[in-house]
Amino acid sequence: ESKIKKADWIVYNTALEIDQSETLTLISDLKEAIQKNQLLLYIQPKIDVKTRKTLGGEALIRWVHPEKGMIFPDQFIPFAEQTGIISEITNWMLLRACQVLADYRSQGLHMSLAVNLSTRDLNNMELPEQIADLLKIHRLDAKALKLEITEGSLMQDPERAETVVRKLAAMGLHLAIDDFGTGYSSLAYLRQLPVQELKIDRSFVMFMDKNTGDASIVKSTIDLAHNLGLNVVAEGIENEEVLGQLAKLGCDEGQGYFIGKPMPEKDFSIWLERWEG
Ligand code: C2E
Ligand code: CA
Ligand code: CA
Ligand code: CA
């Protein structure tokens, strides 16, 4: 019986049912994944909705297991967060993202890459300094690296998270609120945070060409973001209609399968050539 069967089992059952030995197996599997280079950084392109020019991308993790093949983040990120291994995964992603950015720059490509942070990352007081070191080693402008945080990840320990967020912002990093519209945090709270960007959750965007309710949520979110002086990104753009609708509504940036699916970092330049024509 393969170890990943257990991983699937853990994700699909409640955490309460996990027996300790299986938890330990998954932890060691994930540690091995990091050491044995089974993790990959995928990139999903982000474009300017109006001009359709490429602005950069979002870094998304993939785990290529020797027997099980590709494992998607929803199957191991929640577990990694519960157990604390997420810190190692985040560090790995940040390092890879900086390497990729430095690599692009040497090819004359000036892009930004967004990395997803978890609750634990936002409670890690050392994170800002770790990121500062990475930027310095790779001689990167802080603006090249964006960080995506969710409303939920701010709520666990808001004071601590806010301290970390303020340090990151003071370093010149751009922060985005991810999955906007799915959380419950108050606008009054979000407004006083040093974030530059709202990402509208894909559940509102995917069917906005067919569902007028979704379209009006997207419209009011765009207006709201702009009234707060924030950049707004729509994710989950799956067809031309939605992209056109978003342009009319004044949305700034977009990503989705219609533009490009997440791809291995080495395929990005091929995608870019095709997209930019
Ligand atoms: P997310 O941050 O909301 O990332 C966007 C997800 O939407 C990605 O799924 C992406 O493949 C998917 N997506 C993009 N465009 C479309 C579209 O047009 N239609 C549809 N149906 N889906 C689209 P993915 O890569 O499976 O990642 C799932 C989640 O896992 C991410 O959601 C994020 O919360 C988490 N995740 C991924 N990589 C990392 C990571 O390195 N660190 C952390 N902490 N979380 C990560
Ligand atoms: Ca994200
Ligand atoms: Ca999202
Ligand atoms: Ca999500």
Side-chain angles (χ1 to χ4, degrees), residues 44 58 60-62 73-74 77 93 116 178-179 202 206 235-238 256-257 262:
Q44 184 174 38
E58 176 174 3
L60 295 159
I61 199 163
R62 298 290 182 262
D74 287 337
I77 291 290
M93 281 297 273
N116 291 283
D178 202 359
D179 302 345
R202 67 171 189 260
M206 279 164 65
E235 58 178 29
I237 303 172
E238 293 195 355
Y257 292 169

mmCIF file with all atom_site columns, all heavy atoms in Angstrom, residues 44 58 60-62 73-74 77 93 116 178-179 202 206 235-238 256-257 262, ligand 1:
data_model
loop_
_atom_site.group_PDB
_atom_site.id
_atom_site.type_symbol
_atom_site.label_atom_id
_atom_site.label_alt_id
_atom_site.label_comp_id
_atom_site.label_asym_id
_atom_site.label_entity_id
_atom_site.label_seq_id
_atom_site.pdbx_PDB_ins_code
_atom_site.Cartn_x
_atom_site.Cartn_y
_atom_site.Cartn_z
_atom_site.occupancy
_atom_site.B_iso_or_equiv
_atom_site.pdbx_formal_charge
_atom_site.auth_seq_id
_atom_site.auth_comp_id
_atom_site.auth_asym_id
_atom_site.auth_atom_id
_atom_site.pdbx_PDB_model_num
ATOM   1   N N   . GLN A 1 44  ? 1.396   30.455 -12.854 1.00 0.00 ? 44  GLN A N   1
ATOM   2   C CA  . GLN A 1 44  ? 0.218   30.827 -13.641 1.00 0.00 ? 44  GLN A CA  1
ATOM   3   C C   . GLN A 1 44  ? 0.337   32.305 -13.989 1.00 0.00 ? 44  GLN A C   1
ATOM   4   O O   . GLN A 1 44  ? 0.495   33.151 -13.110 1.00 0.00 ? 44  GLN A O   1
ATOM   5   C CB  . GLN A 1 44  ? -1.079  30.580 -12.863 1.00 0.00 ? 44  GLN A CB  1
ATOM   6   C CG  . GLN A 1 44  ? -2.287  30.895 -13.756 1.00 0.00 ? 44  GLN A CG  1
ATOM   7   C CD  . GLN A 1 44  ? -3.610  30.550 -13.135 1.00 0.00 ? 44  GLN A CD  1
ATOM   8   O OE1 . GLN A 1 44  ? -3.799  30.724 -11.935 1.00 0.00 ? 44  GLN A OE1 1
ATOM   9   N NE2 . GLN A 1 44  ? -4.538  30.075 -13.952 1.00 0.00 ? 44  GLN A NE2 1
ATOM   10  N N   . GLU A 1 58  ? 1.645   33.928 -10.650 1.00 0.00 ? 58  GLU A N   1
ATOM   11  C CA  . GLU A 1 58  ? 1.509   33.424 -9.286  1.00 0.00 ? 58  GLU A CA  1
ATOM   12  C C   . GLU A 1 58  ? 2.248   32.090 -9.207  1.00 0.00 ? 58  GLU A C   1
ATOM   13  O O   . GLU A 1 58  ? 2.098   31.238 -10.085 1.00 0.00 ? 58  GLU A O   1
ATOM   14  C CB  . GLU A 1 58  ? 0.026   33.221 -8.928  1.00 0.00 ? 58  GLU A CB  1
ATOM   15  C CG  . GLU A 1 58  ? -0.153  32.590 -7.544  1.00 0.00 ? 58  GLU A CG  1
ATOM   16  C CD  . GLU A 1 58  ? -1.606  32.496 -7.080  1.00 0.00 ? 58  GLU A CD  1
ATOM   17  O OE1 . GLU A 1 58  ? -2.515  32.867 -7.838  1.00 0.00 ? 58  GLU A OE1 1
ATOM   18  O OE2 . GLU A 1 58  ? -1.799  32.029 -5.930  1.00 0.00 ? 58  GLU A OE2 1
ATOM   19  N N   . LEU A 1 60  ? 2.673   28.516 -7.770  1.00 0.00 ? 60  LEU A N   1
ATOM   20  C CA  . LEU A 1 60  ? 1.803   27.502 -7.165  1.00 0.00 ? 60  LEU A CA  1
ATOM   21  C C   . LEU A 1 60  ? 2.597   26.201 -7.032  1.00 0.00 ? 60  LEU A C   1
ATOM   22  O O   . LEU A 1 60  ? 3.278   25.790 -7.969  1.00 0.00 ? 60  LEU A O   1
ATOM   23  C CB  . LEU A 1 60  ? 0.554   27.301 -8.032  1.00 0.00 ? 60  LEU A CB  1
ATOM   24  C CG  . LEU A 1 60  ? -0.362  28.528 -8.112  1.00 0.00 ? 60  LEU A CG  1
ATOM   25  C CD1 . LEU A 1 60  ? -1.267  28.471 -9.339  1.00 0.00 ? 60  LEU A CD1 1
ATOM   26  C CD2 . LEU A 1 60  ? -1.200  28.665 -6.831  1.00 0.00 ? 60  LEU A CD2 1
ATOM   27  N N   . ILE A 1 61  ? 2.501   25.586 -5.881  1.00 0.00 ? 61  ILE A N   1
ATOM   28  C CA  . ILE A 1 61  ? 3.326   24.407 -5.631  1.00 0.00 ? 61  ILE A CA  1
ATOM   29  C C   . ILE A 1 61  ? 2.711   23.132 -6.202  1.00 0.00 ? 61  ILE A C   1
ATOM   30  O O   . ILE A 1 61  ? 1.485   23.008 -6.264  1.00 0.00 ? 61  ILE A O   1
ATOM   31  C CB  . ILE A 1 61  ? 3.605   24.252 -4.118  1.00 0.00 ? 61  ILE A CB  1
ATOM   32  C CG1 . ILE A 1 61  ? 4.803   23.348 -3.874  1.00 0.00 ? 61  ILE A CG1 1
ATOM   33  C CG2 . ILE A 1 61  ? 2.358   23.747 -3.383  1.00 0.00 ? 61  ILE A CG2 1
ATOM   34  C CD1 . ILE A 1 61  ? 5.383   23.452 -2.491  1.00 0.00 ? 61  ILE A CD1 1
ATOM   35  N N   . ARG A 1 62  ? 3.564   22.218 -6.644  1.00 0.00 ? 62  ARG A N   1
ATOM   36  C CA  . ARG A 1 62  ? 3.157   20.878 -7.070  1.00 0.00 ? 62  ARG A CA  1
ATOM   37  C C   . ARG A 1 62  ? 4.101   19.873 -6.433  1.00 0.00 ? 62  ARG A C   1
ATOM   38  O O   . ARG A 1 62  ? 5.280   20.169 -6.249  1.00 0.00 ? 62  ARG A O   1
ATOM   39  C CB  . ARG A 1 62  ? 3.242   20.741 -8.596  1.00 0.00 ? 62  ARG A CB  1
ATOM   40  C CG  . ARG A 1 62  ? 2.317   21.687 -9.374  1.00 0.00 ? 62  ARG A CG  1
ATOM   41  C CD  . ARG A 1 62  ? 0.857   21.290 -9.200  1.00 0.00 ? 62  ARG A CD  1
ATOM   42  N NE  . ARG A 1 62  ? -0.050  22.136 -9.960  1.00 0.00 ? 62  ARG A NE  1
ATOM   43  C CZ  . ARG A 1 62  ? -0.715  23.168 -9.432  1.00 0.00 ? 62  ARG A CZ  1
ATOM   44  N NH1 . ARG A 1 62  ? -0.525  23.514 -8.171  1.00 0.00 ? 62  ARG A NH1 1
ATOM   45  N NH2 . ARG A 1 62  ? -1.552  23.850 -10.163 1.00 0.00 ? 62  ARG A NH2 1
ATOM   46  N N   . PRO A 1 73  ? -1.852  20.944 -4.389  1.00 0.00 ? 73  PRO A N   1
ATOM   47  C CA  . PRO A 1 73  ? -1.645  21.551 -3.065  1.00 0.00 ? 73  PRO A CA  1
ATOM   48  C C   . PRO A 1 73  ? -2.812  21.363 -2.086  1.00 0.00 ? 73  PRO A C   1
ATOM   49  O O   . PRO A 1 73  ? -2.578  21.238 -0.889  1.00 0.00 ? 73  PRO A O   1
ATOM   50  C CB  . PRO A 1 73  ? -1.416  23.035 -3.363  1.00 0.00 ? 73  PRO A CB  1
ATOM   51  C CG  . PRO A 1 73  ? -1.765  23.244 -4.784  1.00 0.00 ? 73  PRO A CG  1
ATOM   52  C CD  . PRO A 1 73  ? -1.634  21.932 -5.466  1.00 0.00 ? 73  PRO A CD  1
ATOM   53  N N   . ASP A 1 74  ? -4.042  21.323 -2.603  1.00 0.00 ? 74  ASP A N   1
ATOM   54  C CA  . ASP A 1 74  ? -5.178  21.141 -1.692  1.00 0.00 ? 74  ASP A CA  1
ATOM   55  C C   . ASP A 1 74  ? -5.057  19.834 -0.909  1.00 0.00 ? 74  ASP A C   1
ATOM   56  O O   . ASP A 1 74  ? -5.659  19.683 0.144   1.00 0.00 ? 74  ASP A O   1
ATOM   57  C CB  . ASP A 1 74  ? -6.502  21.147 -2.478  1.00 0.00 ? 74  ASP A CB  1
ATOM   58  C CG  . ASP A 1 74  ? -6.848  22.554 -2.958  1.00 0.00 ? 74  ASP A CG  1
ATOM   59  O OD1 . ASP A 1 74  ? -6.339  23.516 -2.340  1.00 0.00 ? 74  ASP A OD1 1
ATOM   60  O OD2 . ASP A 1 74  ? -7.597  22.678 -3.941  1.00 0.00 ? 74  ASP A OD2 1
ATOM   61  N N   . ILE A 1 77  ? -1.266  20.928 1.481   1.00 0.00 ? 77  ILE A N   1
ATOM   62  C CA  . ILE A 1 77  ? -1.011  22.207 2.156   1.00 0.00 ? 77  ILE A CA  1
ATOM   63  C C   . ILE A 1 77  ? -1.767  22.322 3.493   1.00 0.00 ? 77  ILE A C   1
ATOM   64  O O   . ILE A 1 77  ? -1.177  22.719 4.503   1.00 0.00 ? 77  ILE A O   1
ATOM   65  C CB  . ILE A 1 77  ? -1.312  23.416 1.223   1.00 0.00 ? 77  ILE A CB  1
ATOM   66  C CG1 . ILE A 1 77  ? -0.263  23.484 0.088   1.00 0.00 ? 77  ILE A CG1 1
ATOM   67  C CG2 . ILE A 1 77  ? -1.345  24.734 1.997   1.00 0.00 ? 77  ILE A CG2 1
ATOM   68  C CD1 . ILE A 1 77  ? 1.141   23.888 0.513   1.00 0.00 ? 77  ILE A CD1 1
ATOM   69  N N   . MET A 1 93  ? 9.548   27.601 -1.482  1.00 0.00 ? 93  MET A N   1
ATOM   70  C CA  . MET A 1 93  ? 8.872   28.359 -2.545  1.00 0.00 ? 93  MET A CA  1
ATOM   71  C C   . MET A 1 93  ? 9.482   29.752 -2.713  1.00 0.00 ? 93  MET A C   1
ATOM   72  O O   . MET A 1 93  ? 9.667   30.228 -3.833  1.00 0.00 ? 93  MET A O   1
ATOM   73  C CB  . MET A 1 93  ? 7.376   28.504 -2.242  1.00 0.00 ? 93  MET A CB  1
ATOM   74  C CG  . MET A 1 93  ? 6.547   27.282 -2.545  1.00 0.00 ? 93  MET A CG  1
ATOM   75  S SD  . MET A 1 93  ? 6.545   26.837 -4.301  1.00 0.00 ? 93  MET A SD  1
ATOM   76  C CE  . MET A 1 93  ? 5.191   27.829 -4.934  1.00 0.00 ? 93  MET A CE  1
ATOM   77  N N   . ASN A 1 116 ? 2.229   32.403 -2.156  1.00 0.00 ? 116 ASN A N   1
ATOM   78  C CA  . ASN A 1 116 ? 1.162   32.287 -1.152  1.00 0.00 ? 116 ASN A CA  1
ATOM   79  C C   . ASN A 1 116 ? 1.738   32.052 0.239   1.00 0.00 ? 116 ASN A C   1
ATOM   80  O O   . ASN A 1 116 ? 2.591   31.195 0.423   1.00 0.00 ? 116 ASN A O   1
ATOM   81  C CB  . ASN A 1 116 ? 0.239   31.112 -1.510  1.00 0.00 ? 116 ASN A CB  1
ATOM   82  C CG  . ASN A 1 116 ? -0.565  31.387 -2.755  1.00 0.00 ? 116 ASN A CG  1
ATOM   83  O OD1 . ASN A 1 116 ? -1.550  32.129 -2.718  1.00 0.00 ? 116 ASN A OD1 1
ATOM   84  N ND2 . ASN A 1 116 ? -0.143  30.815 -3.877  1.00 0.00 ? 116 ASN A ND2 1
ATOM   85  N N   . ASP A 1 178 ? -5.937  37.483 -0.743  1.00 0.00 ? 178 ASP A N   1
ATOM   86  C CA  . ASP A 1 178 ? -6.346  36.408 -1.643  1.00 0.00 ? 178 ASP A CA  1
ATOM   87  C C   . ASP A 1 178 ? -7.764  35.949 -1.310  1.00 0.00 ? 178 ASP A C   1
ATOM   88  O O   . ASP A 1 178 ? -8.227  36.133 -0.189  1.00 0.00 ? 178 ASP A O   1
ATOM   89  C CB  . ASP A 1 178 ? -5.368  35.238 -1.442  1.00 0.00 ? 178 ASP A CB  1
ATOM   90  C CG  . ASP A 1 178 ? -5.323  34.296 -2.627  1.00 0.00 ? 178 ASP A CG  1
ATOM   91  O OD1 . ASP A 1 178 ? -6.044  34.515 -3.618  1.00 0.00 ? 178 ASP A OD1 1
ATOM   92  O OD2 . ASP A 1 178 ? -4.535  33.331 -2.557  1.00 0.00 ? 178 ASP A OD2 1
ATOM   93  N N   . ASP A 1 179 ? -8.424  35.344 -2.290  1.00 0.00 ? 179 ASP A N   1
ATOM   94  C CA  . ASP A 1 179 ? -9.760  34.746 -2.086  1.00 0.00 ? 179 ASP A CA  1
ATOM   95  C C   . ASP A 1 179 ? -10.739 35.757 -1.495  1.00 0.00 ? 179 ASP A C   1
ATOM   96  O O   . ASP A 1 179 ? -11.589 35.394 -0.668  1.00 0.00 ? 179 ASP A O   1
ATOM   97  C CB  . ASP A 1 179 ? -9.680  33.520 -1.156  1.00 0.00 ? 179 ASP A CB  1
ATOM   98  C CG  . ASP A 1 179 ? -8.746  32.442 -1.693  1.00 0.00 ? 179 ASP A CG  1
ATOM   99  O OD1 . ASP A 1 179 ? -8.396  32.503 -2.883  1.00 0.00 ? 179 ASP A OD1 1
ATOM   100 O OD2 . ASP A 1 179 ? -8.369  31.555 -0.917  1.00 0.00 ? 179 ASP A OD2 1
ATOM   101 N N   . ARG A 1 202 ? -12.156 33.115 -7.229  1.00 0.00 ? 202 ARG A N   1
ATOM   102 C CA  . ARG A 1 202 ? -12.595 32.607 -8.531  1.00 0.00 ? 202 ARG A CA  1
ATOM   103 C C   . ARG A 1 202 ? -14.043 32.144 -8.549  1.00 0.00 ? 202 ARG A C   1
ATOM   104 O O   . ARG A 1 202 ? -14.664 32.099 -9.605  1.00 0.00 ? 202 ARG A O   1
ATOM   105 C CB  . ARG A 1 202 ? -11.662 31.505 -9.021  1.00 0.00 ? 202 ARG A CB  1
ATOM   106 C CG  . ARG A 1 202 ? -11.673 30.236 -8.223  1.00 0.00 ? 202 ARG A CG  1
ATOM   107 C CD  . ARG A 1 202 ? -10.852 29.181 -8.973  1.00 0.00 ? 202 ARG A CD  1
ATOM   108 N NE  . ARG A 1 202 ? -10.999 27.871 -8.379  1.00 0.00 ? 202 ARG A NE  1
ATOM   109 C CZ  . ARG A 1 202 ? -10.118 27.320 -7.555  1.00 0.00 ? 202 ARG A CZ  1
ATOM   110 N NH1 . ARG A 1 202 ? -9.029  27.974 -7.239  1.00 0.00 ? 202 ARG A NH1 1
ATOM   111 N NH2 . ARG A 1 202 ? -10.315 26.118 -7.068  1.00 0.00 ? 202 ARG A NH2 1
ATOM   112 N N   . MET A 1 206 ? -15.746 32.857 -12.199 1.00 0.00 ? 206 MET A N   1
ATOM   113 C CA  . MET A 1 206 ? -15.851 31.778 -13.188 1.00 0.00 ? 206 MET A CA  1
ATOM   114 C C   . MET A 1 206 ? -17.124 31.816 -14.033 1.00 0.00 ? 206 MET A C   1
ATOM   115 O O   . MET A 1 206 ? -17.091 31.557 -15.222 1.00 0.00 ? 206 MET A O   1
ATOM   116 C CB  . MET A 1 206 ? -15.717 30.420 -12.496 1.00 0.00 ? 206 MET A CB  1
ATOM   117 C CG  . MET A 1 206 ? -14.272 30.037 -12.229 1.00 0.00 ? 206 MET A CG  1
ATOM   118 S SD  . MET A 1 206 ? -14.098 28.709 -11.027 1.00 0.00 ? 206 MET A SD  1
ATOM   119 C CE  . MET A 1 206 ? -14.860 27.356 -11.880 1.00 0.00 ? 206 MET A CE  1
ATOM   120 N N   . GLU A 1 235 ? -9.394  36.235 -10.441 1.00 0.00 ? 235 GLU A N   1
ATOM   121 C CA  . GLU A 1 235 ? -8.851  34.913 -10.760 1.00 0.00 ? 235 GLU A CA  1
ATOM   122 C C   . GLU A 1 235 ? -9.976  34.014 -11.248 1.00 0.00 ? 235 GLU A C   1
ATOM   123 O O   . GLU A 1 235 ? -11.146 34.292 -11.005 1.00 0.00 ? 235 GLU A O   1
ATOM   124 C CB  . GLU A 1 235 ? -8.122  34.308 -9.551  1.00 0.00 ? 235 GLU A CB  1
ATOM   125 C CG  . GLU A 1 235 ? -8.969  34.169 -8.310  1.00 0.00 ? 235 GLU A CG  1
ATOM   126 C CD  . GLU A 1 235 ? -8.251  33.514 -7.130  1.00 0.00 ? 235 GLU A CD  1
ATOM   127 O OE1 . GLU A 1 235 ? -7.024  33.640 -7.019  1.00 0.00 ? 235 GLU A OE1 1
ATOM   128 O OE2 . GLU A 1 235 ? -8.955  32.878 -6.326  1.00 0.00 ? 235 GLU A OE2 1
ATOM   129 N N   . GLY A 1 236 ? -9.621  32.977 -11.989 1.00 0.00 ? 236 GLY A N   1
ATOM   130 C CA  . GLY A 1 236 ? -10.642 32.043 -12.477 1.00 0.00 ? 236 GLY A CA  1
ATOM   131 C C   . GLY A 1 236 ? -11.307 32.492 -13.767 1.00 0.00 ? 236 GLY A C   1
ATOM   132 O O   . GLY A 1 236 ? -12.467 32.188 -14.028 1.00 0.00 ? 236 GLY A O   1
ATOM   133 N N   . ILE A 1 237 ? -10.558 33.218 -14.607 1.00 0.00 ? 237 ILE A N   1
ATOM   134 C CA  . ILE A 1 237 ? -11.084 33.638 -15.914 1.00 0.00 ? 237 ILE A CA  1
ATOM   135 C C   . ILE A 1 237 ? -10.968 32.461 -16.877 1.00 0.00 ? 237 ILE A C   1
ATOM   136 O O   . ILE A 1 237 ? -9.872  32.059 -17.252 1.00 0.00 ? 237 ILE A O   1
ATOM   137 C CB  . ILE A 1 237 ? -10.294 34.851 -16.469 1.00 0.00 ? 237 ILE A CB  1
ATOM   138 C CG1 . ILE A 1 237 ? -10.344 36.010 -15.462 1.00 0.00 ? 237 ILE A CG1 1
ATOM   139 C CG2 . ILE A 1 237 ? -10.843 35.266 -17.839 1.00 0.00 ? 237 ILE A CG2 1
ATOM   140 C CD1 . ILE A 1 237 ? -9.440  37.178 -15.830 1.00 0.00 ? 237 ILE A CD1 1
ATOM   141 N N   . GLU A 1 238 ? -12.115 31.896 -17.231 1.00 0.00 ? 238 GLU A N   1
ATOM   142 C CA  . GLU A 1 238 ? -12.080 30.680 -18.051 1.00 0.00 ? 238 GLU A CA  1
ATOM   143 C C   . GLU A 1 238 ? -12.493 30.900 -19.495 1.00 0.00 ? 238 GLU A C   1
ATOM   144 O O   . GLU A 1 238 ? -12.404 29.978 -20.305 1.00 0.00 ? 238 GLU A O   1
ATOM   145 C CB  . GLU A 1 238 ? -12.942 29.582 -17.402 1.00 0.00 ? 238 GLU A CB  1
ATOM   146 C CG  . GLU A 1 238 ? -12.350 29.092 -16.081 1.00 0.00 ? 238 GLU A CG  1
ATOM   147 C CD  . GLU A 1 238 ? -12.956 27.787 -15.582 1.00 0.00 ? 238 GLU A CD  1
ATOM   148 O OE1 . GLU A 1 238 ? -13.917 27.294 -16.203 1.00 0.00 ? 238 GLU A OE1 1
ATOM   149 O OE2 . GLU A 1 238 ? -12.455 27.277 -14.560 1.00 0.00 ? 238 GLU A OE2 1
ATOM   150 N N   . GLY A 1 256 ? -6.292  33.069 -15.121 1.00 0.00 ? 256 GLY A N   1
ATOM   151 C CA  . GLY A 1 256 ? -7.273  31.999 -15.278 1.00 0.00 ? 256 GLY A CA  1
ATOM   152 C C   . GLY A 1 256 ? -6.906  31.103 -16.439 1.00 0.00 ? 256 GLY A C   1
ATOM   153 O O   . GLY A 1 256 ? -5.999  31.423 -17.214 1.00 0.00 ? 256 GLY A O   1
ATOM   154 N N   . TYR A 1 257 ? -7.622  29.986 -16.533 1.00 0.00 ? 257 TYR A N   1
ATOM   155 C CA  . TYR A 1 257 ? -7.297  28.985 -17.548 1.00 0.00 ? 257 TYR A CA  1
ATOM   156 C C   . TYR A 1 257 ? -7.363  29.553 -18.957 1.00 0.00 ? 257 TYR A C   1
ATOM   157 O O   . TYR A 1 257 ? -6.643  29.114 -19.838 1.00 0.00 ? 257 TYR A O   1
ATOM   158 C CB  . TYR A 1 257 ? -8.242  27.783 -17.424 1.00 0.00 ? 257 TYR A CB  1
ATOM   159 C CG  . TYR A 1 257 ? -8.063  26.959 -16.170 1.00 0.00 ? 257 TYR A CG  1
ATOM   160 C CD1 . TYR A 1 257 ? -8.995  25.976 -15.822 1.00 0.00 ? 257 TYR A CD1 1
ATOM   161 C CD2 . TYR A 1 257 ? -6.952  27.140 -15.342 1.00 0.00 ? 257 TYR A CD2 1
ATOM   162 C CE1 . TYR A 1 257 ? -8.835  25.201 -14.687 1.00 0.00 ? 257 TYR A CE1 1
ATOM   163 C CE2 . TYR A 1 257 ? -6.788  26.379 -14.195 1.00 0.00 ? 257 TYR A CE2 1
ATOM   164 C CZ  . TYR A 1 257 ? -7.727  25.406 -13.868 1.00 0.00 ? 257 TYR A CZ  1
ATOM   165 O OH  . TYR A 1 257 ? -7.584  24.631 -12.749 1.00 0.00 ? 257 TYR A OH  1
ATOM   166 N N   . PRO A 1 262 ? -1.630  26.945 -14.762 1.00 0.00 ? 262 PRO A N   1
ATOM   167 C CA  . PRO A 1 262 ? -0.335  26.869 -14.084 1.00 0.00 ? 262 PRO A CA  1
ATOM   168 C C   . PRO A 1 262 ? 0.581   25.922 -14.864 1.00 0.00 ? 262 PRO A C   1
ATOM   169 O O   . PRO A 1 262 ? 0.131   24.874 -15.327 1.00 0.00 ? 262 PRO A O   1
ATOM   170 C CB  . PRO A 1 262 ? -0.690  26.287 -12.707 1.00 0.00 ? 262 PRO A CB  1
ATOM   171 C CG  . PRO A 1 262 ? -2.127  26.649 -12.501 1.00 0.00 ? 262 PRO A CG  1
ATOM   172 C CD  . PRO A 1 262 ? -2.750  26.582 -13.859 1.00 0.00 ? 262 PRO A CD  1
HETATM 173 P P1  . C2E B 2 .   ? -5.169  29.983 -4.721  1.00 0.00 ? 1   C2E B P1  1
HETATM 174 O O1  . C2E B 2 .   ? -4.063  30.732 -4.062  1.00 0.00 ? 1   C2E B O1  1
HETATM 175 O O2  . C2E B 2 .   ? -6.512  30.601 -4.734  1.00 0.00 ? 1   C2E B O2  1
HETATM 176 O O3  . C2E B 2 .   ? -4.625  29.672 -6.196  1.00 0.00 ? 1   C2E B O3  1
HETATM 177 C C1  . C2E B 2 .   ? -5.447  29.669 -7.332  1.00 0.00 ? 1   C2E B C1  1
HETATM 178 C C2  . C2E B 2 .   ? -5.926  28.272 -7.650  1.00 0.00 ? 1   C2E B C2  1
HETATM 179 O O4  . C2E B 2 .   ? -6.931  28.387 -8.666  1.00 0.00 ? 1   C2E B O4  1
HETATM 180 C C3  . C2E B 2 .   ? -4.851  27.362 -8.226  1.00 0.00 ? 1   C2E B C3  1
HETATM 181 O O5  . C2E B 2 .   ? -5.089  26.030 -7.804  1.00 0.00 ? 1   C2E B O5  1
HETATM 182 C C4  . C2E B 2 .   ? -5.097  27.495 -9.719  1.00 0.00 ? 1   C2E B C4  1
HETATM 183 O O6  . C2E B 2 .   ? -4.631  26.386 -10.468 1.00 0.00 ? 1   C2E B O6  1
HETATM 184 C C5  . C2E B 2 .   ? -6.591  27.581 -9.760  1.00 0.00 ? 1   C2E B C5  1
HETATM 185 N N1  . C2E B 2 .   ? -7.076  28.266 -10.966 1.00 0.00 ? 1   C2E B N1  1
HETATM 186 C C6  . C2E B 2 .   ? -6.453  29.260 -11.624 1.00 0.00 ? 1   C2E B C6  1
HETATM 187 N N2  . C2E B 2 .   ? -7.171  29.668 -12.687 1.00 0.00 ? 1   C2E B N2  1
HETATM 188 C C7  . C2E B 2 .   ? -8.292  28.906 -12.704 1.00 0.00 ? 1   C2E B C7  1
HETATM 189 C C8  . C2E B 2 .   ? -9.431  28.853 -13.589 1.00 0.00 ? 1   C2E B C8  1
HETATM 190 O O7  . C2E B 2 .   ? -9.557  29.573 -14.563 1.00 0.00 ? 1   C2E B O7  1
HETATM 191 N N3  . C2E B 2 .   ? -10.394 27.940 -13.264 1.00 0.00 ? 1   C2E B N3  1
HETATM 192 C C9  . C2E B 2 .   ? -10.280 27.094 -12.197 1.00 0.00 ? 1   C2E B C9  1
HETATM 193 N N4  . C2E B 2 .   ? -11.256 26.235 -11.976 1.00 0.00 ? 1   C2E B N4  1
HETATM 194 N N5  . C2E B 2 .   ? -9.216  27.133 -11.352 1.00 0.00 ? 1   C2E B N5  1
HETATM 195 C C10 . C2E B 2 .   ? -8.228  28.023 -11.603 1.00 0.00 ? 1   C2E B C10 1
HETATM 196 P P2  . C2E B 2 .   ? -3.936  25.117 -7.195  1.00 0.00 ? 1   C2E B P2  1
HETATM 197 O O8  . C2E B 2 .   ? -2.647  25.382 -7.881  1.00 0.00 ? 1   C2E B O8  1
HETATM 198 O O9  . C2E B 2 .   ? -4.458  23.716 -7.168  1.00 0.00 ? 1   C2E B O9  1
HETATM 199 O O10 . C2E B 2 .   ? -3.790  25.670 -5.727  1.00 0.00 ? 1   C2E B O10 1
HETATM 200 C C11 . C2E B 2 .   ? -4.837  25.529 -4.806  1.00 0.00 ? 1   C2E B C11 1
HETATM 201 C C12 . C2E B 2 .   ? -4.561  26.303 -3.539  1.00 0.00 ? 1   C2E B C12 1
HETATM 202 O O11 . C2E B 2 .   ? -3.468  25.753 -2.827  1.00 0.00 ? 1   C2E B O11 1
HETATM 203 C C13 . C2E B 2 .   ? -4.164  27.756 -3.801  1.00 0.00 ? 1   C2E B C13 1
HETATM 204 O O12 . C2E B 2 .   ? -5.324  28.518 -4.039  1.00 0.00 ? 1   C2E B O12 1
HETATM 205 C C14 . C2E B 2 .   ? -3.480  28.094 -2.493  1.00 0.00 ? 1   C2E B C14 1
HETATM 206 O O13 . C2E B 2 .   ? -4.420  28.394 -1.499  1.00 0.00 ? 1   C2E B O13 1
HETATM 207 C C15 . C2E B 2 .   ? -2.803  26.785 -2.153  1.00 0.00 ? 1   C2E B C15 1
HETATM 208 N N6  . C2E B 2 .   ? -1.390  26.827 -2.565  1.00 0.00 ? 1   C2E B N6  1
HETATM 209 C C16 . C2E B 2 .   ? -0.829  26.569 -3.755  1.00 0.00 ? 1   C2E B C16 1
HETATM 210 N N7  . C2E B 2 .   ? 0.509   26.708 -3.711  1.00 0.00 ? 1   C2E B N7  1
HETATM 211 C C17 . C2E B 2 .   ? 0.802   27.108 -2.447  1.00 0.00 ? 1   C2E B C17 1
HETATM 212 C C18 . C2E B 2 .   ? 2.025   27.434 -1.750  1.00 0.00 ? 1   C2E B C18 1
HETATM 213 O O14 . C2E B 2 .   ? 3.146   27.407 -2.299  1.00 0.00 ? 1   C2E B O14 1
HETATM 214 N N8  . C2E B 2 .   ? 1.910   27.789 -0.439  1.00 0.00 ? 1   C2E B N8  1
HETATM 215 C C19 . C2E B 2 .   ? 0.701   27.844 0.184   1.00 0.00 ? 1   C2E B C19 1
HETATM 216 N N9  . C2E B 2 .   ? 0.679   28.220 1.489   1.00 0.00 ? 1   C2E B N9  1
HETATM 217 N N10 . C2E B 2 .   ? -0.455  27.560 -0.420  1.00 0.00 ? 1   C2E B N10 1
HETATM 218 C C20 . C2E B 2 .   ? -0.404  27.182 -1.728  1.00 0.00 ? 1   C2E B C20 1
#
